[in-house]
Amino acid sequence: MGAKAKKAMKKILKKATSTKPSSSSINKSEAPDYLPLEGGPARKLPEQKPLESAATVLYIGRIPHGFYEEEMQGFFGQFGTVKRLRIARNKKTGKSRHFGFIEFQSPEVAKVVAETMHNYLLFEHLLQVHLIPPEEVHPRLWRGFNYKHKPIDSVQLERGRHDKERTLEEYNKLVEKIVKRDNKRRKRLEAAGIDYECPAIVGNIHPAPKKIKFED
């Protein structure tokens, strides 16, 4: 290659390098979100702050026997102010169903309780403590939360049902049901091949009891 050709090649290379945009000329607003290959300054993304939880209600599961409202109030009251507390109970017996809900006044306290008391060993039970988001709290969750449950006395109810005054028609219907139930029992015994003589129902033969109301 001659001297003239070399000079021509140098001119072409200079023009090409002069038309290439430099990294400093690139608009910062149009800069990519990744590091450029040339090693220039990267674009800084805005810092995203974590959303603070506003949940104040906690679900507590696997509550052991003997750890009831008063005990829970005193135990969880060490963390902060307890607004409301409720343990699910059986309507008939009043026994604990081993789960409940507690509400604190401060969301920060509720978060600390959820983190520290989850899987906490208490009376050979691992407590299950979880935060409930405000939108998932049932509107009737705290209905009767301060109501001291009194279990239904089934014996007293049955005694009142048995001893109540009946009219003569009600008494005859009661005896009729007893006779039908006895006949079904006899048929089942015969179908099973059991030879047993059931005592006869003589309630309809006896005189009317004293607790029958007679119409005037």
Side-chain angles (χ1 to χ4, degrees), residues 122-182:
L122 183 67
F123 297 115
E124 301 181 359
H125 284 250
L126 289 175
L127 292 179
Q128 302 298 308
V129 184
H130 303 286
L131 281 170
I132 303 178
E135 62 272 10
E136 295 183 11
V137 177
H138 199 278
R140 298 177 61 185
L141 175 63
W142 301 111
R143 182 179 178 183
F145 72 95
N146 57 353
Y147 172 72
K148 292 185 178 180
H149 184 80
K150 294 181 180 179
I152 299 173
D153 191 351
S154 57
V155 176
Q156 186 66 25
L157 286 176
E158 186 62 30
R159 184 182 292 115
R161 190 182 297 112
H162 180 272
D163 295 343
K164 74 174 184 179
E165 294 184 354
R166 295 183 175 87
T167 62
L168 189 58
E169 293 180 359
E170 291 176 347
Y171 176 75
N172 291 334
K173 287 182 180 180
L174 178 64
V175 174
E176 186 179 353
K177 288 181 180 179
I178 295 174
V179 173
K180 285 183 179 180
R181 190 161 56 245
D182 184 69

Side-chain angles (χ1 to χ4, degrees), residues 9-19:
M9 287 293 295
K10 288 181 180 180
K11 289 181 181 181
I12 294 171
L13 290 174
K14 284 181 180 180
K15 288 181 181 180
T17 53
S18 62
T19 55

Side-chain angles (χ1 to χ4, degrees), residues 93-108:
T93 62
K95 293 183 179 180
S96 171
R97 297 176 64 186
H98 305 289
F99 74 91
F101 304 92
I102 186 170
E103 183 180 8
F104 288 92
Q105 190 171 2
S106 172
E108 291 78 10

